[in-house]
Amino acid sequence: MTSIKAYIDKNFNERLPDLIKKEVRQMLKDRHYDTHLNEREYHDLIHNDISVVKSTGNLLVTVFPHEAKHFDSYMMTVYGINQYKSDYSFIIPGKFSSFISITFYGDAIRGFEIDGHKMKADKVFEKTVNGKKYITFSSSILEGAHIITNTNGIRFGLWLYGNRKNDGYGYPAGIAFRNKAD
């Protein structure tokens, strides 16, 4: 079973393209529901809360915001927790208001460092599903090359995004590829 957690800001849209028949369970703050998808089908969900997506097979999750007044939309892939890493090297483009979003499961935010310094979490969201506590936090970030690590070896997902007038970007900072045996 693949667990994919997507933190999605207000008025984001989530699209679930499908490659094989599977069951998808969507868990929102106040409700849960199941969706059955056949090959090449997708499910659109408009929401403004943290969600957890579980699937009986491989699944691709993408998120994109609805267009805002002065910013352009972007689409971003959200990969599963089985592809999280404990360190990332990445570059933030210039001339954007840029942010990072980190997602992991555990009991507390600890051990996160950016460029060798302890990280500050601006916004923190938590959700417990089947006894596992998922935590997402975000922070603004300056342009340039960066390294984010977890000194405790916690594997986490990292997404980078930003906006400026009539432009925007969003992408995962990297993924751990699975072995064929996984």
Side-chain angles (χ1 to χ4, degrees):
M1 206 171 199
T2 302
S3 295
I4 301 172
K5 186 205 180 292
Y7 159 65
I8 300 167
D9 263 334
K10 187 176 182 180
N11 294 323
F12 270 61
N13 190 27
E14 185 169 30
R15 178 166 286 217
L16 310 173
D18 186 43
L19 299 177
I20 57 173
K21 186 173 182 173
K22 63 187 73 152
E23 294 179 19
V24 177
R25 169 158 275 192
Q26 182 74 35
M27 291 165 268
L28 301 169
K29 182 178 181 180
D30 57 350
R31 62 190 163 93
H32 296 57
Y33 67 90
D34 294 331
T35 302
H36 301 278
L37 298 174
N38 294 311
E39 185 175 347
R40 307 240 182 257
E41 289 182 335
Y42 63 88
H43 174 71
D44 278 332
L45 171 70
I46 297 174
H47 62 99
N48 55 12
D49 184 31
I50 296 172
S51 68
V52 175
V53 178
K54 289 187 147 194
S55 171
T56 56
N58 292 328
L59 185 71
L60 175 65
V61 175
T62 56
V63 296
F64 55 97
H66 292 268
E67 291 190 72
K69 190 173 183 177
H70 298 290
F71 304 106
D72 198 8
S73 293
Y74 58 87
M75 183 169 38
M76 183 168 28
T77 301
V78 179
Y79 50 91
I81 61 174
N82 61 338
Q83 294 178 292
Y84 288 1
K85 298 170 37 170
S86 58
D87 61 271
Y88 295 84
S89 298
F90 57 93
I91 296 175
I92 296 293
K95 300 180 182 174
F96 282 90
S97 295
S98 295
F99 306 89
I100 59 165
S101 179
I102 291 178
T103 299
F104 66 100
Y105 61 91
D107 58 352
I109 297 173
R110 62 178 186 271
F112 288 96
E113 291 185 352
I114 183 165
D115 303 327
H117 304 294
K118 186 177 178 179
M119 286 189 68
K120 181 184 107 182
D122 293 335
K123 296 179 183 177
V124 179
F125 303 91
E126 298 178 0
K127 184 170 185 80
T128 300
V129 177
N130 296 331
K132 281 189 175 180
K133 183 177 178 181
Y134 294 85
I135 300 173
T136 294
F137 69 92
S138 61
S139 183
S140 59
I141 190 167
L142 298 175
E143 68 180 85
H146 299 281
I147 298 173
I148 293 182
T149 61
N150 186 280
T151 58
N152 297 319
I154 293 173
R155 294 169 60 100
F156 59 96
L158 175 63
W159 292 269
L160 317 170
Y161 58 99
N163 54 56
R164 64 183 177 200
K165 186 172 179 155
N166 300 318
D167 201 2
Y169 75 91
Y171 56 92
I175 63 172
F177 291 99
R178 297 186 318 176
N179 294 329
K180 278 190 166 184
D182 290 347

